[in-house]
Amino acid sequence: MIGLTGGIGSGKSTVAEMLRQLGAYVIDADEAARAVVEPGTPGLDRVVAEFGREMLKDGGLDRSRLAALVFNDADARERLNAIVHPLVREWVAQRVAEAAEKGTDVVVQDVPLLFENGLGDLFDSTILVYVPPAVQLERLVARGMDEADAKARIAAQLPIDEKKRLATYVIDNSGTREETRDQVGRIWTEITASRLSGP
């Protein structure tokens, strides 16, 4: 069980896809967070009960409106997490069980707030996708995000340099895609070698 994390805008999804191509079974917490609040789910009902019907758009969750609220209000973020996190854990547990049934050797869980939520001990090792904070901001603004919103989202996470200290492996994703792929390949080799050699 490998935990994959990074700061917002660090390119974690790119690294997750590279690991998938190498043979990892990747479980995406962002996918889980979307799935548990789809229309018709108890999760969506609970979010609407907590934050109001104005969080709905075309029958589904108005994600941008909810994000604007929770990234600027720590109390609202905690209330949302209290609803969503238990549902996400249940969803992820089902995917882990499916991976075990298939006899998968390496499961990578892509968890954006892995260290913020104190989940490091759940994994055999952790991988951080790292870029400097200035690069995080530059990438988010390049995606069309307002600079103030981007700064608020970065500030809502543990500083990426603190995450760097906590991670087993660090992938510096501020260079070229090829440089990132080389780092991913080296880490994958180390993980699978230790898996084969056993404790």
Side-chain angles (χ1 to χ4, degrees):
M1 293 289 290
I2 311 298
L4 173 68
T5 195
I8 186 168
S10 63
K12 184 169 51 61
S13 298
T14 299
V15 170
E17 184 53 37
M18 290 175 179
L19 287 165
R20 188 178 277 116
Q21 289 168 4
L22 288 168
Y25 184 100
V26 178
I27 299 171
D28 184 345
D30 280 340
E31 182 186 345
R34 287 190 297 272
V36 299
V37 291
E38 285 294 309
T41 60
L44 181 59
D45 293 343
R46 289 180 205 167
V47 170
V48 171
E50 182 68 34
F51 296 101
R53 297 196 64 78
E54 62 268 22
M55 291 301 163
L56 288 175
K57 183 178 180 182
D58 302 325
L61 186 62
D62 187 340
R63 294 179 186 284
S64 58
R65 185 166 191 162
L66 184 60
L69 171 68
V70 301
F71 281 109
N72 292 291
D73 182 337
D75 177 63
R77 191 161 62 244
E78 283 181 22
R79 283 155 47 215
L80 178 64
N81 288 344
I83 295 167
V84 174
H85 286 174
L87 298 171
V88 167
R89 281 195 292 272
E90 188 178 309
W91 188 95
V92 167
Q94 290 170 356
R95 305 290 92 74
V96 171
E98 288 169 12
E101 283 172 20
K102 292 176 181 174
T104 305
D105 275 340
V106 180
V107 174
V108 174
Q109 284 192 44
D110 179 342
V111 186
L113 301 178
L114 190 153
F115 294 122
E116 286 85 344
N117 292 324
L119 304 177
D121 290 344
L122 297 180
F123 300 98
D124 297 304
S125 57
T126 55
I127 301 172
L128 172 72
V129 184
Y130 174 87
V131 295
V135 175
Q136 287 181 276
L137 182 61
E138 182 184 310
R139 287 181 179 177
L140 293 173
V141 171
R143 285 185 203 165
M145 191 179 288
D146 175 79
E147 186 171 338
D149 278 350
K151 286 179 175 175
R153 292 191 185 210
I154 292 168
Q157 297 185 343
L158 194 66
I160 199 159
D161 287 304
E162 178 72 8
K163 294 183 185 188
K164 196 174 181 181
R165 193 178 60 74
L166 296 169
T168 314
Y169 303 100
V170 176
I171 292 170
D172 186 334
N173 192 32
S174 55
T176 65
R177 184 173 286 259
E178 289 69 30
E179 287 168 341
T180 297
R181 193 181 299 280
D182 285 347
Q183 293 173 74
V184 172
R186 284 197 299 275
I187 289 170
W188 177 254
T189 299
E190 191 169 329
I191 288 169
T192 51
S194 65
R195 175 77 183 87
L196 292 171
S197 61

